[in-house]
Amino acid sequence: IDFYNELATTTDSPYIKHQFALFLQRKNDIDMAWRVIDQANTDCNGKIFTIANTHAMILFEKNIGVQCESDKLPELKEILNRSFETLHYCVSKDVRVNYHVLVYARNTIRYVERFGMDDYAKDYVDNSLTRINSILSSGEFIYRKLKNEFISQEQAIRHLKGKASSEEAPALIQ
């Protein structure tokens, strides 16, 4: 931490702040990581996709476990939705689509596990499956480990979607 604090006195680079935020995230100092990545994202106006991606990841991580009263739940879900919107923006604008889609898919699973298949989740699930399918069927080379992770994420999301459908079916019959 001292290293990055010292470095921060000599430069205002959003890239240095980005690396510092990643370091803090790995050290599980999410609150400080959020402050640093939010400043880096502000400094670059959200136009550096790797920083925007990390901003979305930390925003999601900072808020997915927040416990709140039911009347505050829509506000929490809207904050999490901002994370997904940022990732969607990264997917649509950046050439490094694979990483953004992978983070989006991971967050989709965590969101559905926390909140179930609400209206937000249905969009996240559909977007994840569409993007993963697009990548897997593109014919482009994908490193085996990454390809296996995409397949694993796709299977997990399909499982969650199927589970939600089977839970809704009895309600429709009644």
Side-chain angles (χ1 to χ4, degrees):
I1 293 178
D2 292 339
F3 169 76
Y4 283 108
N5 285 330
E6 179 68 27
L7 204 53
T9 64
T10 62
T11 182
D12 270 345
S13 169
Y15 294 103
I16 299 297
K17 292 174 185 170
H18 176 235
Q19 291 303 311
F20 187 25
L22 289 170
F23 172 79
L24 292 165
Q25 180 188 25
R26 281 193 283 281
K27 293 287 188 183
N28 291 319
D29 189 348
I30 298 302
D31 291 331
M32 182 65 167
W34 169 249
R35 287 192 293 275
V36 172
I37 197 62
D38 194 43
Q39 184 60 55
N41 198 53
T42 299
D43 291 351
C44 69
N45 296 317
K47 300 297 182 199
I48 301 173
F49 299 117
T50 54
I51 293 174
N53 180 293
T54 301
H55 187 267
M57 283 178 18
I58 294 174
L59 176 65
F60 186 87
E61 190 173 329
K62 181 174 172 40
N63 290 285
I64 188 64
V66 169
Q67 299 300 318
C68 62
E69 301 295 324
S70 60
D71 63 325
K72 296 288 186 187
L73 205 52
E75 185 179 331
L76 175 61
K77 288 181 177 185
E78 192 54 43
I79 290 169
L80 293 168
N81 188 54
R82 283 196 346 244
S83 171
F84 281 99
E85 287 173 349
T86 299
L87 290 169
H88 184 75
Y89 171 75
C90 291
V91 166
S92 67
K93 300 292 184 187
D94 192 12
V95 294
R96 295 161 294 203
V97 170
N98 291 1
Y99 184 64
H100 303 303
V101 170
L102 194 56
V103 172
Y104 193 101
R106 288 174 183 158
N107 288 356
T108 295
I109 292 167
R110 290 178 69 194
Y111 183 94
V112 173
E113 287 173 345
R114 166 86 195 272
F115 298 109
M117 197 61 74
D118 62 12
D119 289 339
Y120 285 117
K122 289 175 186 173
D123 287 341
Y124 304 152
V125 164
D126 290 343
N127 286 333
S128 290
L129 292 174
T130 298
R131 296 291 183 169
I132 291 171
N133 185 47
S134 175
I135 289 168
L136 291 175
S137 65
S138 71
E140 294 179 20
F141 175 77
I142 304 170
Y143 288 100
R144 178 175 287 146
K145 185 177 178 181
L146 181 59
K147 184 175 184 177
N148 289 341
E149 187 161 359
F150 274 125
I151 292 168
S152 174
Q153 297 295 320
E154 180 184 35
Q155 290 171 345
I157 292 168
R158 287 192 187 285
H159 174 76
L160 290 171
K161 185 176 183 177
K163 183 178 170 185
S165 295
S166 66
E167 289 172 359
E168 291 174 2
L172 295 175
I173 296 171
Q174 297 172 354

